Amino acid sequence: MRAVCRDYSPVGAIVEETGKLPSGKKFGTGSAQGLEDFQAVVLRDISTALAREYPRFTSVPSALAVQRCEHSAVSSSLVRGMHGRQDLLKGCIKAIFSACSSGKSILLRGPAGSGKSSMMACICKAF
């Protein structure tokens, strides 16, 4: 997504001096006109960006399509969180190839939070 910068140039700004501080600095209240037009431009920009990033479905997706999207999102987040375990990942992939060629199974186990799901997501991405 790209950033869009918008300038607001107040047209018909009204500033009224309401007093002075002991230092001599003036203070006051003010208002700016034309914010409705600026608001409309910003809302249009946001709506356009959201529509581009998240297009609307033209039909109701099947339960399988929704499940695929959810699975893809979770897998992607797990793969992004996997850092510094390249040797372990290579070892797992090597063990999978070895097990497949000999008709054996692989069991990946470990304590909660140790990265089992992240490791499987990385292995699936490698294939």
Side-chain angles (χ1 to χ4, degrees):
M1 193 177 286
R2 63 182 181 86
V4 176
C5 295
R6 296 279 182 209
D7 291 329
Y8 169 69
S9 302
V11 178
I14 301 167
V15 178
E16 182 181 327
E17 184 180 318
T18 56
K20 286 186 182 182
L21 296 173
S23 64
K25 186 173 182 174
K26 299 176 186 177
F27 62 89
T29 61
S31 67
Q33 307 299 317
L35 284 175
E36 295 82 12
D37 295 337
F38 183 68
Q39 175 189 13
V41 169
V42 171
L43 285 175
R44 188 189 68 228
D45 288 347
I46 291 170
S47 295
T48 301
L50 286 172
R52 189 179 313 118
E53 189 72 18
Y54 304 103
R56 293 183 184 268
F57 287 111
T58 54
S59 61
V60 177
S62 69
L64 181 59
V66 171
Q67 197 172 25
R68 282 183 185 149
C69 288
E70 290 171 349
H71 174 76
S72 178
V74 169
S75 295
S76 294
S77 68
L78 291 172
V79 169
R80 278 193 305 271
M82 187 75 165
H83 299 286
R85 296 184 177 177
Q86 296 307 316
D87 291 340
L88 182 59
L89 178 61
K90 288 177 187 175
C92 285
I93 291 172
K94 186 176 178 181
I96 289 170
F97 277 119
S98 175
C100 287
S101 64
S102 62
K104 295 182 179 178
S105 299
I106 297 271
L107 173 66
L108 182 62
R109 64 186 182 105
S114 63
K116 299 177 299 292
S117 297
S118 296
M119 180 61 69
M120 288 308 301
C122 288
I123 290 169
C124 289
K125 185 179 177 186
F127 289 93

